[in-house]
Amino acid sequence: MASYILKRLISLIPVLIGVTILVFSIMHLSPGDPAKIMLGPKATEESIKALNAQLGLDQPLYVQYFSWIANVLTGDWGRSLQMKMEVLPLVMDRFHATLLLTLFSAVLAAVIGIGVGIVSAYRKYTWIDRGLMLFVLFGFCLPVFWLGLILQIIFGLKLNILPMSGMYSPGTTGFVDLFMHIILPSLALSAGAGAVIARMTRSSMLEVFEQDYIRTARSKGITERKVVYVHALKNAFIPVLTVLGMQIGYLLAGAVLVEMVFSWPGIGTLMINGILARDFPLVQGIILFVASTYVVINLIVDILYALLDPRISYR
């Protein structure tokens, strides 16, 4: 196991390098001058050139890239051009809100997706199965930002039972208030992931239900609840775990749109503001942080395989 983890960690290095090159290239090749944006429309050419020289933006791209990577490896992720703050502390300060939204959405997607998948597989080819799969199809097809707006209109504007934006009400920091604020954005964010998990759970459960040991368990008089939730679900959960791990990464990415719709104070909102301001260090730092989190989550999911199924060996 230790050697496998070491090999996976080494294999992640070229992935992260590719991410840094891609992000750096896109940000620096996109139109617009960050120095001109920072100084305003009335800035002179001399002041723009002076600021570019001060920030090192007048250097060749490969020099800027290697300088940035060298600083990242030493813990210096740069300084935000817009907010005049160190990037890494700024990202860490906002990341807890995004992580909370992502994990809550992942739990919601897993509970709903696995539950729907089990019921659909157990009632296969009935009107319940078809109705649930139609529901799942809608959840998969609806855009996150559109679903977020619809939820705001229905539950926030029309029914007025849930807050429409923010993480807390003004002057409030309680758990109940946080829970009320996180319901709508997590519902919007988890819809697509829950649909994927439901489809995978249904497929895995249908396959397991056809196995000999399930028929043997039923012939021994074991209760149907135990057959489904102990014998079948345990063996069907491994491919579901794979999808769940991948969906957490997608939820991190999808949080950008949801945070903008619901004014959630996470790194998604921070990144959008950084893109609009051409804040190279901030955007590069956020994307590198999210990419690193994603690959670590995939590594954790791979390790969990061995814990759930001893038949899997790692060499």
Side-chain angles (χ1 to χ4, degrees):
M1 176 66 73
S3 60
Y4 170 76
I5 296 175
L6 181 60
K7 291 178 181 178
R8 282 298 310 271
L9 289 174
I10 294 175
S11 67
L12 296 181
I13 295 177
V15 175
L16 292 177
I17 291 176
V19 170
T20 60
I21 293 175
L22 182 62
V23 173
F24 185 88
S25 301
I26 292 176
M27 286 301 301
H28 284 74
L29 295 178
S30 57
D33 190 338
K36 188 174 182 180
I37 295 175
M38 294 173 63
L39 294 175
K42 297 183 179 180
T44 63
E45 290 295 331
E46 292 75 13
S47 60
I48 293 176
K49 290 181 180 179
L51 184 56
N52 277 325
Q54 179 183 348
L55 299 175
L57 299 177
D58 59 339
Q59 299 292 327
L61 288 181
Y62 70 91
V63 175
Q64 296 183 47
Y65 172 77
F66 285 112
S67 175
W68 173 58
I69 290 297
N71 291 331
V72 167
L73 294 177
T74 59
D76 180 10
W77 288 40
R79 188 177 181 85
S80 171
L81 305 179
Q82 180 188 20
M83 307 182 70
K84 311 298 181 183
M85 296 175 61
E86 295 295 326
V87 169
L88 187 57
L90 188 59
V91 172
M92 294 301 295
D93 181 62
R94 293 290 194 96
F95 183 66
H96 79 279
T98 299
L99 182 62
L100 178 63
L101 177 60
T102 301
L103 292 180
F104 192 88
S105 301
V107 172
L108 189 62
V111 171
I112 296 177
I114 293 175
V116 169
I118 292 174
V119 174
S120 182
Y122 189 73
R123 301 291 186 180
K124 62 179 181 178
Y125 311 132
T126 64
W127 66 269
I128 297 178
D129 179 24
R130 295 185 177 91
L132 289 176
M133 287 300 100
L134 181 62
F135 173 76
V136 165
L137 180 62
F138 276 113
F140 181 77
C141 295
L142 294 179
V144 172
F145 64 89
W146 185 86
L147 181 58
L149 293 173
I150 295 300
L151 292 175
Q152 283 181 324
I153 294 173
I154 295 176
F155 295 100
L157 188 61
K158 299 295 184 181
L159 300 179
N160 196 25
I161 58 176
L162 291 173
M164 296 175 59
S165 62
M167 191 172 177
Y168 294 101
S169 299
T172 307
T173 57
F175 173 78
V176 176
D177 188 58
L178 172 62
F179 179 76
M180 297 297 288
H181 278 79
I182 203 174
I183 292 177
L184 290 185
S186 61
L187 282 174
L189 184 58
S190 62
V196 175
I197 293 172
R199 292 295 300 269
M200 178 56 69
T201 303
R202 180 182 183 274
S203 300
S204 299
M205 292 292 289
L206 285 176
E207 182 178 350
V208 171
F209 280 148
E210 300 298 326
Q211 300 300 315
D212 292 336
Y213 63 86
I214 297 296
R215 288 191 287 268
T216 302
R218 285 171 171 165
S219 65
K220 290 181 178 180
I222 298 176
T223 62
E224 195 67 15
R225 180 182 296 272
K226 190 174 182 179
V227 170
V228 173
Y229 291 101
V230 176
H231 295 277
L233 183 58
K234 180 181 178 181
N235 292 281
F237 189 69
I238 291 184
V240 176
L241 179 63
T242 306
V243 174
L244 179 59
M246 295 177 62
Q247 292 305 309
I248 292 177
Y250 295 144
L251 290 174
L252 276 173
V256 175
L257 294 174
V258 173
E259 288 178 5
M260 290 299 297
V261 172
F262 290 92
S263 299
W264 191 264
I267 60 174
T269 306
L270 186 65
M271 185 173 70
I272 294 297
N273 294 332
I275 292 174
L276 295 176
R278 295 296 305 280
D279 194 339
F280 295 149
L282 180 60
V283 176
Q284 292 168 176
I286 291 174
I287 296 180
L288 179 60
F289 188 86
V290 172
S292 302
T293 305
Y294 179 68
V295 296
V296 169
I297 290 173
N298 283 337
L299 176 62
I300 294 174
V301 170
D302 286 346
I303 295 174
L304 288 176
Y305 289 163
L307 300 178
L308 291 174
D309 191 348
R311 296 172 299 178
I312 299 177
S313 62
Y314 297 96
R315 300 183 184 276

